Amino acid sequence: MKLPNFIYLITILGICNFWQIYSQDKIPKVSGFIDFNGYYDTREFSVLTYNILANLPNRFQYFSLTNYESSKYSSDFSKNYAEHNLRWGVGDKIPLDLTLQYVLRNGENNDDIRLGFRWKLNQTKGIKKIISKLNMSYSINPMLVQFRKNQETKYVTQIEHVYSFLIAPKTFGKRLYLGGFADQNIVYNTGGVSFKWVSEHQLGFRVLDKLYAVLEYRINDYYVTENYGLGYGLEYKISF
């Protein structure tokens, strides 16, 4: 399937979903958040990030992240990376979402379309009570099919791990949290299978109404050198 066909598919799904919303007598409430982040990395570059989550009717969900990264020793934000995710819940009591992800990067002919599913462990019978006691959420999202322009279709290319939990909620309420993600990228070699990891683990503390001080540990196996770094900065989060 050609890359533009996926764009048409996303557009059609969105139109159908919102048409059903506005055809109803009452417009269902949409919830989610927008947060803005600014960091300085110990590897001598800066990062600006914003994330958007929208929980839509009919078990649809939209989530995106967009990163702008400066060159080393520079304030010029010349690098960018973005992920746009459209998810559809299989059922109200089933902890699985079908996922479609569109990845955009700097350069030509290197954007990806990925198809997979997300398993929400914190909503899974048998283990959700344990995870709930930890004030934690955790999901895994295997990407089963990947399309890129002018390249052959790839299969089982990545597993996304996403987690968050509140630290000492009896003391701090919802002010102190630890959350992050780990992208487990699967590389198929002639001698077997190996992994390249891209992960960020963020510790945040709310200092004012919607403002957090954040500290983030980062791993990127795609960098030639300096694969590990520490970012620190501020986060401003708006929930709706």
Side-chain angles (χ1 to χ4, degrees):
M1 185 179 289
K2 294 182 179 179
L3 190 64
N5 291 346
F6 284 100
I7 307 303
Y8 301 145
L9 176 60
I10 294 173
T11 303
I12 291 170
L13 286 173
I15 292 173
C16 291
N17 189 44
F18 285 104
W19 176 261
Q20 184 172 354
I21 294 172
Y22 286 105
S23 65
Q24 298 173 0
D25 294 334
K26 294 183 179 180
I27 299 176
K29 184 178 179 180
V30 175
S31 62
F33 65 79
I34 303 173
D35 72 59
F36 304 91
N37 303 266
Y39 312 90
Y40 181 76
D41 193 287
T42 54
R43 290 166 289 183
E44 307 293 340
F45 61 82
S46 300
V47 179
L48 294 177
T49 301
Y50 65 87
N51 305 295
I52 301 174
L53 173 71
N55 296 307
L56 305 170
N58 303 319
R59 300 195 301 275
F60 277 93
Q61 184 186 77
Y62 169 79
F63 175 75
S64 69
L65 66 89
T66 304
N67 286 342
Y68 295 96
E69 183 178 311
S70 73
S71 302
K72 197 167 185 177
Y73 309 117
S74 171
S75 59
D76 180 18
F77 290 92
S78 56
K79 302 177 184 178
N80 61 74
Y81 175 89
E83 293 180 3
H84 297 271
N85 299 272
L86 182 64
R87 301 162 179 159
W88 180 72
V90 175
D92 292 330
K93 297 183 179 180
I94 302 174
L96 294 176
D97 297 332
L98 300 182
T99 62
L100 188 153
Q101 184 182 84
Y102 183 23
V103 180
L104 299 93
R105 302 181 180 86
N106 286 93
E108 297 182 359
N109 298 329
N110 60 357
D111 295 344
D112 293 317
I113 292 288
R114 296 169 180 158
L115 301 175
F117 68 92
R118 182 175 65 153
W119 175 24
K120 295 171 284 189
L121 280 78
N122 53 292
Q123 297 181 15
T124 302
K125 290 183 179 180
I127 58 176
K128 66 179 182 179
K129 289 184 178 180
I130 299 174
I131 296 178
S132 177
K133 289 182 179 179
L134 297 173
N135 302 293
M136 182 179 181
S137 66
Y138 176 53
S139 65
I140 59 174
N141 189 170
M143 296 299 182
L144 304 180
V145 186
Q146 177 174 301
F147 301 89
R148 182 180 291 188
K149 188 176 181 180
N150 300 329
Q151 289 192 12
E152 293 184 359
T153 302
K154 296 181 180 181
Y155 300 94
V156 193
T157 56
Q158 185 187 83
I159 302 175
E160 294 183 343
H161 306 261
V162 180
Y163 74 94
S164 66
F165 64 90
L166 298 174
I167 299 175
K170 291 183 179 180
T171 302
F172 297 105
K174 296 182 179 180
R175 297 184 67 181
L176 182 63
Y177 73 87
L178 177 66
F181 72 89
D183 289 344
Q184 184 179 1
N185 298 283
I186 302 171
V187 181
Y188 297 94
N189 305 309
T190 54
V193 176
S194 61
F195 303 108
K196 283 185 176 292
W197 293 88
V198 178
S199 66
E200 297 178 356
H201 309 275
Q202 180 167 292
L203 180 67
F205 181 76
R206 181 163 56 85
V207 292
L208 292 173
D209 182 25
K210 298 178 177 64
L211 184 66
Y212 293 78
V214 294
L215 185 66
E216 189 171 273
Y217 179 60
R218 299 168 172 173
I219 302 171
N220 192 329
D221 286 341
Y222 287 99
Y223 288 166
V224 178
T225 60
E226 297 184 306
N227 303 99
Y228 305 91
L230 190 65
Y232 53 92
L234 297 172
E235 173 190 22
Y236 189 80
K237 185 174 183 178
I238 304 170
S239 299
F240 56 87

